[in-house]
């Protein structure tokens, strides 16, 4: 069981929470709790309903997509400070990838329905949180585009 | 010497019917005489036997895309402008063998150096050389003889060439030497100069060799009326060209307009047929063609005229850096009129107008310059090519770059990835051993083209080359086994500025095989560890199996005084490390880059993304260094393939700071 | 060789070769014998149709010269020569004698190249028991190297005058686009002198070859010229007294469809078969051979056998190799470049026809030109289509003499006989495919 | 096969030379490599080459040189079979790479064409179109030209033995014309010339011989035919379709430009 101040400290330690005002962070800490995952734990599976947003405090998680015939492909690993579960805020609230724990991980978890309700009520907090979230998603989109280019790939070989 | 010239430099008179005496004196020196003659509907340069072969009574007219030989009323021999050929054909022939590679029982051997001085080229005398040609020869002299690498073939041919210039009398509509400040008056760079009048020639000398030749003719001094008539000839030529163009802004104007719509417009007409570049008396781009016997055991490397208009000219394994005709036209025009100044301290154009007349589509560079480069018609003070050429911006010692391919031995090799090998080479070549981190070599085997390869480690008795099999030549290199040999030229280019690291934090970012040229830099970091601040190394690879130097990187990662982070673009479930692009390793990092210097190597797109993140972390553009890939073919700045704006990547780079590159780093198709 | 197994029906023997080898182009052979009697002897052509006579419609004469060359990669000059002479005759252009000499020189080059190819690469391996000249070279390397040198000399001639050995580019109506200098031609002289020696050696080698016994009295046709051995010019003559202008081939011959075959074959108007080529030329114009060639012919003592035994055509080609090489040297020695490469001319309507001697025999072209001087219709009669009926007749005559041999060997003999005529099937502008014949 | 494996000479590559609709000139080019033929025969095992040897093989082939365009149903079947038998398939010449001169019939109705040449066209076995090999199977490399250039063929064979990329540059005929020192016939005489849009390989033969290029090596990658017609002397709209409708007419962009100009001369019956 985590105390409110532990949660607040954990939030403040990473990139996501560090830029928030004390008040905003306090609001979040009020509805959050710390959760730990052991190595190998599947936090969520692709397509499952997702009901919480989490900020990683410690450890490393892999975002995996299952490609029939190729097995699970890791497309991204998540580090402390980054968020997982942004689908909790955006309909249809289903996980877009499978999340697997690579190193012992702890996260600050925010219950989705409560967070959505709170953000609906509090535009100032919503602006602060959603900006962070947009930033995180935008970075991820940009990185994914770069990955798509497959820059290190060998150009097509000639038969010679 | 100068005094000797001065004392004999009284203009002399050579009667028209005695021109053969001059030719005979030159021939008596064992020279082949190259002069204008009519052939296949043009006044071309060719070997001539005597004055009778000269185009007496013939003139020429030229306009964009059109050239005709005309019949004149008089019988003067030089009353024509320049035809399609220039002396370049002889000083810098379209094809020249420069190297012979052989596989012998003792390993590969390369005889001759590249460029190899031609053993005793036939001494030449050019007759009828115009002021614009002399300017062009001066420009090529500077390109081939004054740089860090010297073209020995050119030097030998050029040294034996005797130049009989002739004052221009009848320019065509395509001539614009007055705009380029190269003519029409012959002022410098000749051995003898003639001014042709109806009944004879005024003869002046311009060199000790010219003095000797003219002395042998025992000519009487020219009389005053002839001298007056001669002045009128030159003045008439100048008047005929009308007002010169204002070239004052062209240097900045062209470089400032890479996205000008005029490029696309001219590309619609441009045939990319290469005619303009191959008739140009200063264009010097070449490629090397390998001609081998059937099993590749003997191979001649032949240097061949090439052109930046060819699609394959800027091609590397991943594609062409200038895929569109508009990119290539921009490269050519910008190089000729703008970046040539940055590279060689002069314009690359002498105003001879060949590119206008001999463009089958009739594209007139003067019009394109007006549209794109903001060149106006107002007469302006002229720039002197010759004077400017002496003010070349770079301090270089000619011939300081190794030109020969030396044979090195393969002591062994390590497989890095499925397609990448590290060759461990031994050599006693002191220049190779004294290379700097970031430098590269050209590596070759007989019958294969030479490939630029990064040096991935320096050892006291040799070096490592890490090679990815991207094509047949590199594949053949990766397949070399212990005990075999290969040819190496180097070390080449400018390496990493190691001294910049002292007292600073160091950030090293590598993508894929980009780690290879950074490895000697990491070695240097370890050697100088105490003099540096934090050392952070970020490595990206495509997949876990594409990582280079895995064990070594593992050992580095265990060190407490170096931070090593690795990521891959994608991975299977077994990989427990990071997945994501390399910038994610530090885009949320907390370090402050204001006292850091960064070194980046990887695919260009990755380096662009990386440099943006580094900038956001506080590392300024003059402290971010990248190493570029271009189609480096000769490796020493003589073949023209690897140009990027004003740079030769092989010679001025491959390492550049972002500040040096400026917008060139991100402009498409440059 | 892919001879199919004999299908043993009641006293019927079939010899079939699905793909003839060492001939130019794609052909097949079928001989059916019943009760010791040849009931069918067919030289089949399955070269895909390319419709040249249709392709040249709407084209100017100069374009036609480039197009008809592509009928055959071995004898493109022949097609250019028959066509260019036809057009020049048709529009009435007077040709510079130097151009005339240069054309003969060009043709000599093609004869040398084509004959050397046929003698050493296509035909001689049969006599010597090899599958190819490459295999022949394993045991007789020097011989093959010298053969290659001879062939190369011919190619060099064509390449110098025409730009390249195959599909040369220099011939135009009125003359040439470009003519060589005297120095350029003279530079070839040493190579041709050496080639002449090899050609003479070739006569000796081919004379010694063991030839199957076969004799018949064929009807032979070739050109004949008052002073020169037939090549670009001359009248059409035959062993049975024909004598026609080179424009008048159609007065004596016609291409027709024979009842039992679907192949277009040329015959005389009376329906008789006839044979073209080196044996015909030597028989009908042997007195015009270059003295060196005439001497070689006399020494061989085979003049009569060349006429009667088709297997001896290899000797005839060797004699013509001597002739073409010796004539080439003479032309080079006398060469003065023409005043201008080509005589100007004006296009207009008319009929154009001519015959020249391709390496494998008389090649006739005729064109109708429209008001603008463009081709309205064309007829091209290559030697192979004229020889085809005679070859089939010879196969019929020859068959009884090999029926006693094992099947494969007999088949091989048939193939060898076909190769004797150097049938250039690529040239067959309008052969039909025999395999579509509905036979009962 | 790696170069080292090649040099160790474990096995000579098995080579086949076959033809479809064509004049034989491109395969003859192999026999015209007089100085190198015997050496080539030592390095390669020529297992199928009906024009030159009586030995036959149905495959497999390490290298198959294919001449000619595909003009009949049987040829198509045979090509598909040969492709399965071949590791590296190289088309040699304009017929195989671009359809050749016989592809001019592709603009016309086939029946009437056949009828102008054959009295009984119904007996002709022929596809309506003559098409390049690459329309039907994957082609690993192509040698251009009508005919191919012997030096390019030698370069291809050498590259195969040595294990390197053949040097077959995609540049204009002009580049070679200038290297050879020939005077441009367009600029100096106003002669129609396809040199600027045609791939080099012939050594700029026609301009050197004083006439305009007729495109037998086919279009190069950047062929700007529209500008060639609009802006160069000698080649205006009235002659464009005739000049382009030659030995590589069916290759793009020549084909489209011919279409735009109403088809090749004589396309209509």
């Amino acid at each position: 069981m985590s105390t409110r101040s532990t949660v607040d400290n954990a939030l403040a330690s990473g990139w996501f929470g560090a830029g928030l005002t004390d008040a905003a962070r306090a609001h979040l800490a009020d509805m959050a709790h710390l959760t730990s995952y052991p190595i190998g734990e599947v936090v969520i599976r692709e397509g499952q309903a997702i009901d919480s947003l989490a900020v990683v405090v410690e450890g490393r998680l892999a975002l995996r997509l299952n490609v029939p015939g190729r097995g699970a492909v890791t497309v991204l690993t998540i580090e402390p400070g980054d968020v997982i579960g942004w689908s909790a805020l955006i309909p249809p609230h289903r996980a877009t990838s499978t999340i697997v724990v690579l190193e012992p991980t702890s996260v600050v978890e925010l219950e989705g329905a409560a967070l959505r309700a709170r953000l609906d009520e509090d535009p100032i907090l919503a602006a602060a949180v959603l900006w962070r979230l947009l930033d995180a998603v935008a970075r991820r989109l940009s990185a994914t585009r770069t990955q798509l280019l497959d820059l290190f790939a060998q150009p097509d070989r000639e038969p010679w | 010497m100068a005094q000797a010239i001065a004392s004999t430099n009284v203009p002399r008179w050579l009667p028209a019917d005695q021109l053969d005496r001059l030719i005979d004196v030159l021939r008596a020196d064992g020279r082949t005489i190259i002069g204008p003659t009519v052939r296949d509907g043009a006044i071309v340069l060719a070997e001539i036997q005597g004055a009778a072969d000269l185009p007496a009574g013939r003139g020429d007219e030229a306009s964009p895309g059109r050239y005709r030989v005309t019949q004149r009323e008089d019988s003067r021999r030089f009353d024509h402008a320049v035809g399609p050929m220039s002396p370049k054909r002889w000083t810098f022939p379209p094809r020249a063998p420069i190297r012979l590679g052989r596989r012998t029982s003792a390993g590969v051997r390369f005889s001759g150096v590249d460029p190899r001085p031609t053993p005793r080229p036939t001494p030449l005398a050019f007759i009828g050389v115009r002021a614009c040609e002399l300017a062009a020869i001066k420009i090529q002299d500077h390109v081939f003889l004054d740089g860090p690498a010297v073209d020995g073939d050119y030097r030998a041919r050029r040294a034996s060439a005797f130049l009989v210039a002739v004052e221009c009398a009848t320019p065509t509509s395509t001539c614009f030497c007055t705009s380029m400040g190269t003519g029409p008056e012959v002022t410098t760079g000749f051995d003898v100069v003639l001014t042709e009048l109806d009944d004879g020639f005024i003869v002046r000398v311009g060199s000790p060799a010219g003095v000797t030749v003219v002395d042998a003719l025992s000519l009487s001094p020219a009389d005053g009326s002839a001298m007056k008539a001669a002045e009128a000839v030159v003045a008439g030529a100048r008047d005929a060209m009308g007002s010169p163009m204002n070239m004052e802004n062209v240097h900045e104007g062209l470089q400032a307009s890479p996205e000008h719509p005029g490029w696309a417009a001219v590309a619609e007409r441009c045939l990319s047929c290469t005619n303009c570049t191959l008739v140009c008396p200063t264009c010097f781009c070449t490629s090397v063609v390998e001609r081998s016997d059937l099993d590749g055991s003997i191979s001649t490397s032949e240097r061949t005229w090439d052109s930046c208009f060819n699609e394959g000219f800027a091609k590397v394994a991943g594609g062409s850096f200038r895929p569109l005709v508009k990119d290539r036209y921009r490269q050519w025009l910008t190089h000729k009129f703008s970046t040539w100044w940055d590279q060689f301290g002069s314009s690359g154009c002498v105003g001879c107008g060949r590119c206008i007349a001999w463009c089958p589509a009739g594209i007139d560079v003067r019009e394109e310059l007006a549209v794109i480069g903001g060149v106006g018609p107002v007469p302006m003070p002229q720039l002197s090519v010759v004077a400017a050429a002496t003010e070349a911006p770079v301090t270089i010692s000619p011939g300081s770059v190794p030109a020969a391919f030396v044979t090195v031995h393969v002591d062994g090799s390590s497989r890095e990835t499925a397609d990448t090998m590290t060759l461990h080479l031994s050599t006693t070549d002191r220049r190779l051993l004294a290379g700097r981190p970031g430098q590269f070599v050209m590596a070759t085997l007989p019958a294969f083209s030479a490939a630029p390869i990064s040096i991935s480690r320096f050892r006291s008795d040799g070096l490592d080359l890490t090679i990815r099999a991207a094509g047949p030549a590199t594949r053949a290199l990766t397949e070399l086994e212990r005990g075999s040999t290969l040819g190496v030229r180097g070390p080449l280019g400018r390496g990493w500025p190691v001294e910049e690291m002292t007292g600073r934090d160091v950030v090293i970012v590598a993508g894929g095989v980009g780690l290879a040229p950074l490895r000697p830099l990491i070695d240097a970091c370890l050697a100088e560890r105490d003099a540096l601040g934090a050392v952070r190394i970020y490595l990206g690879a495509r997949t876990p199996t594409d990582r280079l130097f895995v064990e070594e990187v593992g050992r580095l990662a265990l060190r407490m005084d170096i931070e090593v982070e690795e990521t891959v673009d994608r991975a299977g479930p077994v990989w427990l490390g990071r997945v994501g692009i390399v910038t994610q390793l530090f885009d949320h990092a907390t370090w402050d880059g204001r006292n850091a210097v960064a070194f980046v190597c990887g695919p260009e797109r990755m380096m662009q993304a990386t440099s943006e993140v580094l900038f956001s972390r506080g590392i300024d553009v003059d402290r971010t260094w990248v190493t570029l890939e271009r189609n480096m073919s000769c490796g020493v700045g003589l073949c023209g393939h690897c140009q990027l704006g004003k740079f030769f990547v092989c010679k001025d780079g491959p390492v550049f700071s972002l500040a040096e590159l400026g917008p060139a780093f991100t402009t498409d198709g440059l | 060789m892919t001879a199919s197994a004999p299908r043993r029906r009641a006293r019927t023997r079939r010899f079939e070769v699905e793909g003839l080898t060492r001939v130019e182009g794609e052909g097949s052979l079928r001989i059916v014998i019943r009760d010791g009697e040849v009931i069918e002897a067919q030289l089949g052509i399955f070269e895909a149709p390319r419709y040249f006579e249709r392709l040249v419609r709407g084209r100017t004469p100069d374009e036609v010269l480039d197009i008809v060359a592509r009928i055959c990669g071995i004898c493109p000059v022949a097609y250019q020569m028959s066509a260019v002479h036809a057009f020049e005759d048709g529009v009435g252009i007077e040709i510079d004698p130097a151009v005339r000499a240069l054309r003969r020189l060009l043709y000599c080059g093609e004869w040398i190249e084509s004959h050397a190819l046929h003698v050493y690469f296509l035909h001689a391996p049969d006599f010597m028991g090899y599958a190819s000249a490459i295999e022949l070279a394993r045991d007789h390397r020097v011989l093959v190297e010298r053969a290659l040198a001879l062939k190369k000399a011919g190619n060099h001639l064509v390449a110098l005058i025409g730009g390249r050995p195959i599909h040369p580019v220099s011939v135009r109506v009125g003359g040439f686009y470009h003519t060589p200098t005297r120095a350029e031609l003279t530079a070839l002289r040493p190579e041709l002198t050496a080639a002449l020696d090899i050609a003479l050696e070739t006569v000796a080698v081919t004379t010694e070859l063991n030839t199957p016994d076969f004799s018949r009295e064929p009807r032979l046709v070739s050109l004949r010229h008052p002073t020169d051995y037939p090549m670009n010019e001359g009248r059409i003559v035959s062993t049975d007294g024909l004598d026609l202008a080179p424009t008048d081939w159609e007065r004596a011959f016609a291409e027709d469809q024979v009842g039992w075959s679907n192949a277009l074959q040329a015959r005389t108007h009376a329906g008789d078969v006839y044979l073209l080529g080196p044996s015909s030329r030597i028989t009908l114009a042997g007195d015009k051979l270059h003295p060196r060639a005439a001497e070689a012919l006399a020494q061989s003592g085979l003049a009569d056998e060349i006429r009667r035994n088709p297997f001896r055509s290899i000797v005839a080609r060797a004699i013509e190799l001597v002739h073409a090489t010796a004539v080439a040297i003479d032309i080079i020695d006398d060469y003065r470049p023409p005043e201008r490469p080509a005589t100007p001319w004006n296009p207009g309507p008319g009929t154009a026809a001519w015959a020249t001697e391709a390496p494998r025999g008389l090649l006739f072209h005729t064109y109708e030109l429209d008001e603008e001087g463009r081709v309205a219709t064309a007829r091209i009669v290559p030697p192979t289509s004229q020889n085809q009926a005679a070859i089939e007749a010879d196969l019929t005559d020859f068959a009884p003499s090999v029926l006693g041999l094992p099947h494969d060997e007999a088949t091989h003999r048939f193939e060898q006989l076909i190769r004797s005529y150097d049938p250039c099937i690529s040239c067959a502008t309008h052969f039909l495919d025999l395999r579509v014949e509905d036979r009962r | 096969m790696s170069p080292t494996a090649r040099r160790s000479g474990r096995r000579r590559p098995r080579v086949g030379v076959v033809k479809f609709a064509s004049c034989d000139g491109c395969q003859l080019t192999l026999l015209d490599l007089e100085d190198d033929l015997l050496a080539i025969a030592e390095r390669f095992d020529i297992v199928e080459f009906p024009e030159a040897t009586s030995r036959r093989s149905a495959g497999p082939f390490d290298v198959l040189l294919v001449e000619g365009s595909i003009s009949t149903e049987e040829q198509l079947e045979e090509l598909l079979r040969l492709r399965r038998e071949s590791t590296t398939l190289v088309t040699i010449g304009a017929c195989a790479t671009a359809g050749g001169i016989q592809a001019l019939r592709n603009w016309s109705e086939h029946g009437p064409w056949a009828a102008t040449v054959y009295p009984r066209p119904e007996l002709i076995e022929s596809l309506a179109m003559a098409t390049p090999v690459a329309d039907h199977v994957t082609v690993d490399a192509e040698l251009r030209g009508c005919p191919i250039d012997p030096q390019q063929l030698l370069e291809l064979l050498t590259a195969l033995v040595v294990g390197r990329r053949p040097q077959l540059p995609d540049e204009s005929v002009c580049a070679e014309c200038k290297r050879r020192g020939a005077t441009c016939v367009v600029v100096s005489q106003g002669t129609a010339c396809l040199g600027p849009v045609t791939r080099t390989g012939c050594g700029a033969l026609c301009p050197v011989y004083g006439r305009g290029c007729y495109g037998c090596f086919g279009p190069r990658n950047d062929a700007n035919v529209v500008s060639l017609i609009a802006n160069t002397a000698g080649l205006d709209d009235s002659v464009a379709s005739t000049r382009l409708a030659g030995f590589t007419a069916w290759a793009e962009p020549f084909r489209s430009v011919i279409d735009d100009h109403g088809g090749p001369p004589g396309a209509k019956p």
Side-chain angles (χ1 to χ4, degrees), chain B residues 373-387:
Chain B
V375 172
V378 190
M380 287 295 291
Q382 290 161 31
L383 304 163
S384 166
V385 168
V386 176

Side-chain angles (χ1 to χ4, degrees), chain B residues 67-68 85 89 95 268-273 275 279 290 292 295 304-305 310-311 328 357 447 479, chain D residues 2-3 43 158 161 164-165 167 171-172 174 176 178-179 181 187-188 220-222 224 227 231-232:
Chain B
Y67 172 96
R68 292 292 184 278
M85 288 179 194
R89 172 165 291 276
R95 289 204 167 80
E268 278 185 23
R269 286 185 293 146
C270 176
L271 303 167
S272 67
C273 61
N275 275 302
V279 292
E290 299 294 333
S292 75
D295 55 8
T304 310
W305 283 358
N310 279 329
E311 191 194 21
R328 289 174 241 156
E479 287 171 352
Chain D
S2 75
R43 296 292 186 295
T158 306
V161 177
R164 64 164 159 78
R165 185 182 290 122
Q167 303 162 115
E171 57 181 21
S172 68
C174 302
E176 197 54 25
K178 284 285 173 288
R179 288 190 198 110
V187 171
S188 73
R220 43 185 279 261
N221 282 351
D222 290 315
N224 189 347
S227 171
N231 296 314
T232 68

Side-chain angles (χ1 to χ4, degrees), chain C residues 208-240:
Chain C
E208 292 303 312
L209 293 175
N210 202 358
T211 316
D213 242 353
F214 179 43
S215 179
R216 83 287 190 240
E217 290 293 335
R219 178 176 293 98
L220 302 176
V221 173
S222 86
L223 293 181
R224 184 174 165 86
H225 186 267
T227 54
D228 297 330
Y229 192 70
M231 201 172 251
N232 296 62
E233 293 163 86
R235 293 176 67 81
I236 302 170
V237 298
S238 72
T239 43
D240 54 354

